[in-house]
Amino acid sequence: MSTPSTSPTTAAFPGGTILGYPRIGRRRELKKAVESFWAGRTDAVDLEVTAGGLRRETARRLVELGLNPDDGSVPGSFSYYDQVLDVVALLGAVPERFRDLLDEEDGSLELDGYFTVARGRGEDAPLEMTKWFDTNYHYLVPEISETTPVSFADHRIVREYAEALEAGVTTRPVLVGPVTFLALSKAADEAGDGFHPLDRLDDVVAAYAELLRALAAVGVPWVQLDEPALVTDSLDVPAERLHDAVRSAYRVLATGLAKATDDTDGERPAILVTAPFGGLGDDGLALLAGTDVDAVAIDLVKGATPAGPLPGLEGKTLVAGVIDGHNVWRADLTAKLDAVESLRGLGAGALAVGTSTSLLHVPHDVEDEVFGDGPGTTLDPRLRDWLAFADQKVGEVATLARALAVGRDAVADALAASSAAVASRATAAGVVVPEVRERAAALTDADFARGPYAERAAAQAARLNLPPLPTTTIGSFPQTPEIRKARAAWTKGELPDADYSAAMRAEIERVVALQEELGLDVLVHGEPERNDMVQYFAEQLDGFAVTANGWVQSYGSRCVRPPILWGDVRRSAPITVEWSAYTASLTEKPVKGMLTGPVTILAWSFVRDDQPLGDTANQVGLALRDEIADLEAAGIGIVQVDEPALRELLPLRRADQEEYLRWSVGSFRLATSGVAPATQVHTHLCYSEFGEVIGAIDGLDADVTSVEAARSRMEIVPELADAGYSRGIGPGVYDIHSPRVPSSEEVTELLTLAVKAIDPALVWVNPDCGLKTRRYAEVEPALAHLVAAAREVRATL
Ligand code: GLN
Ligand code: ZN
């Protein structure tokens, strides 16, 4: 081991920095290139050429927007698919089933193999995917055991640094830090009892040390290691273990390797450790301050200003993450500058301006939008001044950095303009709608509660007259190419309203006829008119905007365009009533109206940052309450309000979870509690690992809750029974995530498990989720088996 580096850090990133930048391309070029590679239309060389072009373009763009090209302020944060998978590739740490993909000599993965681990092949399941902290980005979960290979196998990061340098920009390689990588990994199947991936910390750190040496050897000045695991206490690792891991990892990487400086060769670049997505807490920051890393980035958007002074910070640069990397609003730069300066008391060697998180979670550029009041996807012109996407945020960082370096006077105009924009938003028409505010202010506890369940259940039984184990679906039926074509043509104005409406009605007729033929008990309209379960409602509610190019990576090559919730939410006209009423006119069977719940609408949108989320949720709740009242008035006896994102928004810190569950459950109840006892309220939640939200599910007070349960073989049902849950439950018996058609024996088996675990009178029979991504060739036999199984188990009751 070499001697610890003692050279004091000079101020790093004086021109400001960002923690990462969108990598999919402003016209989704990477998505297209990757998908055409997958389809075999292009080869790996074509893909590398496109990706290299995007990387160079990004580096140049960031310099053009104000970042310094020479000092490592420009992040090199590219990924072909996912940044966690990149570490798997870096280490060659693939699960057993993919070992044949590793190069025999150096243990690395070719691009082809890299995508195979992400997407699976034949019987070999891909790595599991799960949500990245509190974002809508999904990463791949590494599988690690005692025997997983771990080495410095892949040199892509080094090559990408050289590539940018050739284009004239000194980048700062960005990768997930060793502790977070292992904390987010799961134990592979072959791992022994009690094994935790963190048991492999020394091996992983040794590989990172090799990487740092390689980076230092080519003159990389800075490297960024992301350690967001430090901001959450919801992982299955106790805080002490995580903290020990950080101490031990950075003792090796920072203390143990001599830092290269301008004048001396060394074994490692300067190290920036980041902690995005939340507050580190004083102990978390003290922990990082106590290591020999050279800079620490903290999130001041989600996290509180830490108290100081903190020993150890004097030799480091503290990067103040004041520009929100996770939402789209333009900042009041004066307030942000105050926030940066409030860190002076911490005693850091230097302060730098940064983003709170990578900009991966926002779209590229406000200027890519079409402003005006024309039809379709154009934005209200006022939004141009209120919004900041990635490029605008880089500009904000540069302006703040300048103020910090040479004084506020130098950027007085920019500061004033930003304050004026924020102020104009605060009072603009539509942002505050007095009528909406008055209605919310007048709410009382009674608006959040229905009558006793027993009375409701009796009234519903009398009205609906359903058999035991009633069968239904979650709402959507396959979205055929014809439906998509009709919707696209209508959106472009090429298909008249009447023709579009006729096409949708014809589709509804088909879906109703099919459900009757299959013998389902509660029918749906199939949701053919919905592009997306959130966007559809956002397009019709006041207070939302929908972008033309606001794409954000969701996972791999998949991108979403989250709506922007900018103003008070109001429903100016019924949204779904016409479709549901038409459906009901076609059948004698009960029809279920279908809505997306307030929490899910918020979770999958960019939300306003000028009022508590709970207030916004209640506004959406009230709009839905009106919609439900209209459905009820149109004779619809069952309404389902989907909340698949309820668990997604759960705060990363346990201390914040109770308050979240209070308002989220409240907004659902506000939406659904205006109905008569005889109207049955359903909800649907996708995930099957309930743990911390099982109480909330009960709190929703829905008459029937459907959940994903096929893969876990009904695991949730006994858990609910143990928790004393006593209303309707529809544990999914058909895994819709796979094209596989379950046999009726399989469905019978699952159903039997369910009726053994909980009172059969409570059990409903349905698939795991909506059917929109499946094909009719799979859906028809699968639903036929589902109905047959329900009949069979019914006969045994
Ligand atoms: N009703 C929606 C559908 O069937 C629910 C989708 C979801 O839960 N993600 O598609
Ligand atoms: Zn679902």
Side-chain angles (χ1 to χ4, degrees), residues 502-663:
M504 293 301 121
R505 282 177 178 237
E507 181 63 23
I508 291 174
E509 286 156 26
R510 268 194 296 278
V511 170
V512 167
L514 173 64
Q515 294 173 88
E516 296 213 308
E517 197 183 302
L518 288 165
L520 287 154
D521 299 309
V522 169
L523 308 197
V524 297
H525 77 290
E527 304 178 23
E529 78 289 7
R530 301 188 190 176
N531 39 17
D532 170 274
M533 65 187 288
V534 168
Q535 190 181 334
Y536 177 73
F537 288 93
E539 279 169 356
Q540 307 206 38
L541 290 169
D542 293 351
F544 286 89
V546 178
T547 66
N549 281 304
W551 296 102
V552 177
Q553 190 174 12
S554 165
Y555 66 89
S557 70
R558 189 76 89 100
C559 303
V560 294
R561 240 174 344 140
I564 297 172
L565 196 174
W566 60 271
D568 278 352
V569 177
R570 211 168 22 158
R571 190 193 71 142
S572 50
I575 301 171
T576 65
V577 179
E578 177 198 337
W579 306 118
S580 291
Y582 181 65
T583 311
S585 75
L586 301 171
T587 176
E588 297 295 309
K589 296 253 175 98
V591 165
K592 182 162 70 166
M594 204 62 56
L595 304 173
T596 304
V599 182
T600 300
I601 289 181
L602 260 53
W604 296 347
S605 301
F606 289 117
V607 288
R608 59 194 294 178
D609 59 353
D610 57 349
Q611 66 183 23
L613 261 182
D615 292 358
T616 309
N618 276 351
Q619 291 182 359
V620 179
L622 281 171
L624 294 173
R625 187 180 176 104
D626 295 344
E627 180 73 9
I628 294 173
D630 285 342
L631 284 168
E632 201 178 28
I636 304 298
I638 306 181
V639 179
Q640 176 172 310
V641 179
D642 293 326
E643 282 293 21
L646 183 70
R647 177 154 161 273
E648 247 179 67
L649 277 198
L650 197 69
L652 299 175
R653 295 260 182 209
R654 289 185 203 281
D656 304 327
Q657 292 178 354
E658 193 180 315
E659 167 60 9
Y660 161 73
L661 291 172
R662 186 196 61 73
W663 69 253

Side-chain angles (χ1 to χ4, degrees), residues 474-476 527 533 642 644 684 686 769-770:
I474 304 304
S476 60
E527 304 178 23
M533 65 187 288
D642 293 326
H684 166 71
C686 292
C769 192

